[in-house]
Amino acid sequence: MTWTLPQPMLTAPVTSPDLPPGAAGEPKWDGYRAQLAHYPGGRVLLRSRQGTDMTTAFPEVREAALAQLPEDTGLDGELVVWESGRLAFERLQQRLARRRGAGAIAAAQTWPAHLVVFDLVRLEGTDLTPRPYSDRRAALEDLFASQGLTAPFTLCPSTTDPATARAWLEWTAAGLEGLCFKRLSEPYRGGARAWAKYKVRATEDAIVGAVTGPPAAPRTLLLGRYDGAGVLRYTGRTTSLARAVTRSLEGVLLPTTGGHSWAGRTFTASWGSRDVLDVTLVDPQLVVEVSVDVARDAAGRWRHPVGLHRTRPDLSAESVPPFGA
């Protein structure tokens, strides 16, 4: 091995979905950022954004790299799993939990992954990172065409047409998180937040079922919605509340006095975390409006923390849409 993959080039958030002049737009996928290297001599490395070696967890990607990619080549992209008409992020987590041997092979057969490739950092020994995005993109498209790359490799769409980029936002129901914007003239700058990312967000109503911290001064709110059987189902947790918001909730959130759907349940700090939260159940009456993105797990819960937009004392818990809506 005579070279190493560059650090991933990163994104900075923007508030507008409009494609900037002199930039290309790409869909932002709900998956794992992944870089792939096929070294001389047949060694393959698939690593995460944090540098974790994921090669053995995705044997189908390794085998495809050996069979389809030229040696001394490096790709950048997003690992995704498609299931039941949506991108299933939780399946990727399950794939990583079965990262070796027979378990990894069985998981690959059950939940096959695709690498959606959006950049080419090295091609048959030539470092492409100093070249502008437009040149790297042309080389990537040529690589797919000349090598006939097939699944699990998928070429990420790219456009310089603002209307086309806007139309991609209609894919959010299938797990598209938003758009990435990349300047056509920019080289690949590993570690730099030079790409832009627009994330689709919306506001939705939910019911406060528990809090971290004391109810009189909560730090975060745990949210739910009722299902068809009248059971309050957990949907997600807010980010830390601002001090002014905390003060406004004093006396509003009351400890539960009767049966609560979450009695005896434990909650973790984040999706996939093992850190158990210290929560206090409250009477599930307060409705809040929260800002959410489109990423959900298989159960329909918001996968990322949500932002409190405002309280809705004018709404009843019964008026909130049912769980899964």
Side-chain angles (χ1 to χ4, degrees):
M1 185 174 69
T2 58
W3 59 279
T4 58
L5 286 163
Q7 290 298 307
M9 196 166 171
L10 305 175
T11 60
V14 294
T15 58
S16 172
D18 296 329
L19 181 64
E26 297 175 356
K28 172 66 178 73
W29 309 97
D30 186 18
Y32 274 160
R33 181 72 178 275
Q35 294 176 305
L36 178 69
H38 184 193
Y39 292 108
R43 178 176 174 247
V44 172
L45 171 65
L46 180 69
R47 77 175 191 186
S48 72
R49 172 179 158 177
Q50 289 77 25
T52 302
D53 188 340
M54 304 186 294
T55 313
T56 58
F58 297 92
E60 72 274 38
V61 177
R62 177 183 178 276
E63 293 304 316
L66 290 171
Q68 300 185 42
L69 282 185
E71 289 191 348
D72 217 352
T73 294
L75 307 177
D76 194 0
E78 192 94 357
L79 275 171
V80 299
V81 170
W82 183 261
E83 182 182 56
S84 302
R86 58 179 283 271
L87 295 176
F89 183 87
E90 65 277 5
R91 299 305 187 197
L92 288 171
Q93 295 223 313
Q94 290 170 289
R95 291 288 306 270
L96 280 179
R98 307 177 184 185
R99 60 172 57 224
R100 289 182 175 83
I105 294 172
Q109 294 170 344
T110 305
W111 306 306
H114 286 76
L115 182 64
V116 183
V117 184
F118 51 68
D119 218 319
L120 182 61
V121 296
R122 190 177 183 90
L123 179 61
E124 297 185 87
T126 300
D127 180 11
L128 301 187
T129 58
R131 300 186 184 181
Y133 168 89
S134 57
D135 286 1
R136 300 195 313 276
R137 177 69 195 191
L140 178 60
E141 292 177 0
D142 182 69
L143 175 67
F144 266 79
S146 62
Q147 297 293 321
L149 299 187
T150 58
F153 298 121
T154 300
L155 179 63
C156 181
S158 175
T159 187
T160 55
D161 176 42
T164 300
R166 275 272 192 170
W168 287 338
L169 295 176
E170 298 175 5
W171 300 357
T172 54
L176 180 77
E177 289 190 317
L179 299 171
C180 285
F181 303 132
K182 303 177 180 181
R183 289 194 293 274
L184 297 172
S185 61
E186 187 154 44
Y188 189 99
R189 299 194 287 132
R193 291 192 177 275
W195 290 337
K197 175 179 65 177
Y198 170 76
K199 250 189 166 179
V200 176
R201 299 192 71 86
T203 59
E204 298 196 28
D205 294 333
I207 303 159
V208 181
V211 300
T212 62
R219 289 190 287 273
T220 65
L221 309 177
L222 281 73
L223 309 173
R225 286 177 167 181
Y226 285 104
D227 63 16
V231 176
L232 187 67
R233 302 281 296 277
Y234 177 64
T235 56
R237 184 166 68 103
T238 68
T239 54
S240 296
L241 303 179
R243 189 169 300 175
V245 175
T246 296
R247 287 196 296 266
S248 72
L249 292 173
E250 185 175 357
V252 176
L253 296 170
L254 304 175
T256 183
T257 56
H260 195 297
S261 300
W262 297 348
R265 174 172 177 169
T266 59
F267 296 89
T268 56
S270 62
W271 201 97
S273 170
R274 296 183 180 179
D275 297 330
V276 176
L277 292 170
D278 183 12
V279 306
T280 300
L281 301 182
V282 298
D283 189 20
Q285 295 298 323
L286 179 65
V287 176
V288 294
E289 185 179 352
V290 291
S291 174
V292 303
D293 63 27
V294 298
R296 299 195 181 202
D297 66 14
R301 298 169 297 194
W302 298 311
R303 193 162 55 78
H304 299 144
V306 303
L308 179 64
H309 184 58
R310 56 178 174 166
T311 60
R312 295 298 305 268
D314 55 315
L315 298 180
S316 67
E318 292 73 24
S319 69
V320 174
F323 181 81

